C-alpha cells in the first residue's frame, strides 16, 4: 500500500529536506474558514495536512487545541462535516496528503466500517488516533490498513526499546515522535534529546520520523528539520487563528492570513535546514 504520504516523504527525501506537517482543527471557528485554510495551506508551504476531528475530551491536547475543539463543537461541527471538508479539499488538490487526527470515540460512534469507507471516498490518506494503543489494533488500525489508509502511531520519550517494536508493528506513513512528555504546545523540546530520539527510532523502523509538540516558530522548525524527516506544527497555528478572531469568536478578514503567514515563516525555517541528499 502506497499512499500520498509515502510519495510526499519520498519526494522530499530526494530533495534533501524535511516535510512541514501542519495541523488545524476541523470547524474552528467555522467550516468555511477551515475549508479556506485547507486550500491555502499547501501554497503557504505545508507538505502534509492534519485535520482535527473535534472531541469533548481531548486528553493529549493543551489549552490551544482544546479551545479550538470547543469552538468547533459550539458551531455543531461533526465528524460527518469534517469528512465533507476533506472531500471538498480533495476536489481541487489531488497531491497533498491529508490525515485525520483525533480520538476514537467520534469514530466509534460514527461506525468504523462506515468511517473508513467515507474517509477513503473523501480522499483521506491516513489517521492518527491518539487514544488507541497497539493492543487495540483490531479496533481501527488493522481495518484502516485494509481500507488503504495509513494508521500513524505516536512514540514518546517514555517509549523504551522494549515497547517500540509493539508500537511500530502496524504503523504506516510515518512515525510521529512526541518530543516532550506532556500535552501539545506546552513547552519547547530539548533539541539535543530530539536528535538522539530520532536516531533511536530509525534503528527500529525504515519509516520517516516526524517530530511535533512544542514547535512555535521558524527557529524551532529549523532545529528539528536538521535531525528529522518531518516537523509537525499545530498549537502555534491554532493560536494564531484564535488571535485573529473577533470578540465573539468569529473569523475576520485576516483569519486565514494569520495562519498562512505563520506557515510561510515556519516553512522557511524548515527549508533553511535542507541538505544535499546522499
Amino acid at each position: 500500500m502506497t499512499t500520498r504520504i509515502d510519495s510526499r516523504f519520498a519526494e522530499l527525501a530526494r530533495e534533501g529536506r524535511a516535510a512541514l506537517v501542519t495541523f488545524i482543527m476541523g470547524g474552528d471557528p467555522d467550516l468555511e474558514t477551515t475549508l479556506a485554510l485547507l486550500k491555502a495551506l499547501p501554497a503557504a508551504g505545508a507538505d502534509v495536512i492534519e485535520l482535527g476531528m473535534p472531541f469533548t475530551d481531548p486528553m493529549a491536547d493543551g489549552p490551544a487545541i482544546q479551545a479550538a475543539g470547543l469552538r468547533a463543537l459550539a458551531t455543531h461541527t461533526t465528524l460527518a462535516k469534517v469528512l465533507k471538508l476533506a472531500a471538498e479539499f480533495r476536489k481541487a488538490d489531488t497531491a497533498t496528503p491529508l490525515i485525520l487526527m483525533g480520538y476514537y470515540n467520534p469514530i466509534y460512534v460514527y461506525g468504523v466500517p462506515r468511517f473508513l469507507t467515507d474517509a477513503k471516498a473523501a480522499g483521506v490518506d491516513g489517521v492518527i488516533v491518539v487514544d488507541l494503543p497497539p493492543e487495540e489494533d483490531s479496533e481501527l488500525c488493522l481495518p484502516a490498513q485494509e481500507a488503504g489508509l495509513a494508521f500513524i502511531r505516536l512514540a514518546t520519550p517514555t517509549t523504551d526499546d522494549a515497547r517500540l517494536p509493539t508500537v511500530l508493528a502496524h504503523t504506516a506513513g510515518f512515525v510521529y515522535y512526541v518530543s516532550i512528555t506532556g500535552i501539545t504546545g506546552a513547552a519547547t523540546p530539548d533539541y539535543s534529546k530530539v536528535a538522539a530520539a530520532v536516531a533511536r527510532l530509525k534503528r527500529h523502523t525504515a519509516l520517516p520520523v516526524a517530530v511535533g509538540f512544542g514547535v512555535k516558530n521558524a527557529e524551532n522548525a529549523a532545529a528539528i528539520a536538521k535531525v528529522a524527516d518531518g516537523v509537525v506544527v499545530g498549537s502555534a497555528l491554532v493560536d494564531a487563528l484564535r488571535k485573529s478572531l473577533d470578540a465573539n469568536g468569529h473569523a475576520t478578514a485576516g483569519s486565514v492570513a494569520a495562519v498562512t503567514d505563520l506557515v510561510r515563516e515556519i516553512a522557511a525555517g524548515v527549508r533553511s535546514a535542507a541538505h544535499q541528499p546522499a
Side-chain angles (χ1 to χ4, degrees), residues 15 30 47-48 59 94 146 181-182 190-191 194-195 211 215 220 229 232 238 259-260 267:
E15 293 178 12
D30 56 67
D47 298 301
V48 179
M59 61 186 182
T94 59
E146 289 170 10
T181 50
D190 180 332
Y191 299 114
V194 169
V211 178
V215 177
N220 299 157
D229 303 301
V232 186
V238 167
V259 177
T260 54

Side-chain angles (χ1 to χ4, degrees), residues 159-251:
T159 310
D160 61 22
D161 285 340
R163 177 67 172 166
L164 263 179
T166 303
V167 169
L168 297 172
H170 298 120
T171 301
F174 62 91
V175 180
Y176 186 148
Y177 179 67
V178 176
S179 60
I180 57 172
T181 50
I183 52 177
T184 56
T188 301
D190 180 332
Y191 299 114
S192 62
K193 291 182 179 178
V194 169
V198 170
R200 182 171 71 93
L201 285 170
K202 285 184 167 295
R203 289 195 291 270
H204 288 267
T205 180
L207 289 171
V209 178
V211 178
F213 281 48
V215 177
K216 296 179 173 63
N217 53 42
E219 184 182 2
N220 299 157
I224 288 176
K226 289 174 183 174
V227 299
D229 303 301
V231 179
V232 186
V233 58
S235 294
L237 303 184
V238 167
D239 211 39
L241 178 61
R242 177 189 62 81
K243 290 175 182 176
S244 79
L245 305 179
D246 67 18
N248 295 314
H250 298 146

Side-chain angles (χ1 to χ4, degrees), residues 79-140:
L79 180 51
K81 291 177 180 178
V82 171
L83 288 167
K84 286 181 181 177
L85 284 174
E88 283 299 313
F89 166 75
R90 190 56 78 204
K91 285 179 182 178
D93 188 319
T94 59
T96 304
L98 183 63
I99 298 161
L100 296 182
M101 183 171 186
Y103 298 83
Y104 184 49
N105 184 275
I107 296 170
Y108 177 78
V109 172
Y110 192 91
V112 169
R114 177 181 166 222
F115 168 76
L116 294 174
T117 298
D118 291 353
K120 187 68 176 175
V124 171
D125 302 292
V127 293
I128 301 173
V129 181
V130 300
D131 56 346
L132 272 184
E135 288 74 16
E136 306 298 335
D137 272 357
S138 60
E139 288 283 333
L140 183 64

